[in-house]
Amino acid sequence: MPAFLNPAEAEFWVGAGLVIFLAIVFFVAKAHRAAAAALDAKAASIQANLDEAARIRDEAQRLLKELQAERADAERQAKDMLASAEAQVRQFEADAKAKLEEGLERRRRITEQKIATAEAQAAAEVKAAAAELAAQMAEQVLAQRIAGAKSDPLVDRAIGQLAGKLQ
């Protein structure tokens, strides 16, 4: 027989005391229930943490999808705004070009009118100067004829014709 099964040996009594102690703890103190409850509580805590982690992961994935959708929408809006701005710039360029051409055309017409007015005024001034010069020359010619002859042959002839016409 082995030595630990012999009641005369100290190991027997140590083993028996251990078995009795464990039986008392197990049946009287119901330590197994406390240990099981502690293990169940720990398992429940771990399961709750895993469930919370899964919920947080799902929420993070949902938020990621929302943010990706918002980003795509923001990029689309930015492209639309850029296209609108480019169209507006082209429209502004066309408007500015049209206004510039209209302004240049208006200035050209005004300049042509001023030139025509200046030409007409210059022509009138030349005609007036020519008429005045002609009058002065005629005056000088007449003054020389009168000074050269005491009587004007034209006036004398006109007087002679008057006598015939009055009769």
Side-chain angles (χ1 to χ4, degrees):
M1 188 160 144
F4 68 87
L5 292 177
N6 187 1
E9 295 292 326
E11 287 91 8
F12 174 76
W13 291 111
V14 170
L18 179 63
V19 169
I20 293 171
F21 173 75
L22 288 176
I24 290 172
V25 168
F26 191 72
F27 289 112
V28 175
K30 301 188 188 211
H32 70 289
R33 290 185 188 161
L39 287 175
D40 288 343
K42 187 66 174 173
S45 172
I46 291 171
Q47 187 61 44
N49 286 341
L50 287 173
D51 292 343
E52 178 69 14
R55 185 189 62 78
I56 289 173
R57 180 175 177 257
D58 291 341
E59 184 177 338
Q61 286 178 342
R62 183 184 54 80
L63 285 174
L64 177 62
K65 286 180 183 177
E66 286 179 9
L67 289 175
Q68 287 173 340
E70 287 178 6
R71 178 178 174 231
D73 186 45
E75 286 178 354
R76 182 187 50 77
Q77 286 179 353
K79 286 180 184 177
D80 291 346
M81 290 171 65
L82 184 59
S84 174
E86 288 174 352
Q88 199 172 22
V89 164
R90 284 191 295 273
Q91 182 63 38
F92 286 154
E93 283 179 345
D95 290 346
K97 185 177 180 181
K99 285 182 182 179
L100 177 65
E101 289 175 358
E102 180 182 309
L104 290 174
E105 179 62 25
R106 185 176 51 244
R107 286 184 180 165
R108 184 189 60 77
R109 282 193 317 265
I110 289 171
T111 304
E112 286 176 355
Q113 287 175 352
K114 285 182 180 179
I115 290 172
T117 303
E119 285 176 350
Q121 185 177 3
E125 288 176 1
V126 167
K127 286 179 182 178
E132 187 176 328
L133 183 61
Q136 287 176 355
M137 301 240 340
E139 183 180 334
Q140 287 177 356
V141 167
L142 287 176
Q144 286 176 358
R145 279 187 183 174
I146 291 176
K150 296 289 179 193
S151 66
D152 188 7
L154 291 175
V155 174
D156 290 341
R157 202 175 333 147
I159 292 174
Q161 288 176 358
L162 264 177
K165 285 185 180 184
L166 287 177
Q167 290 179 1

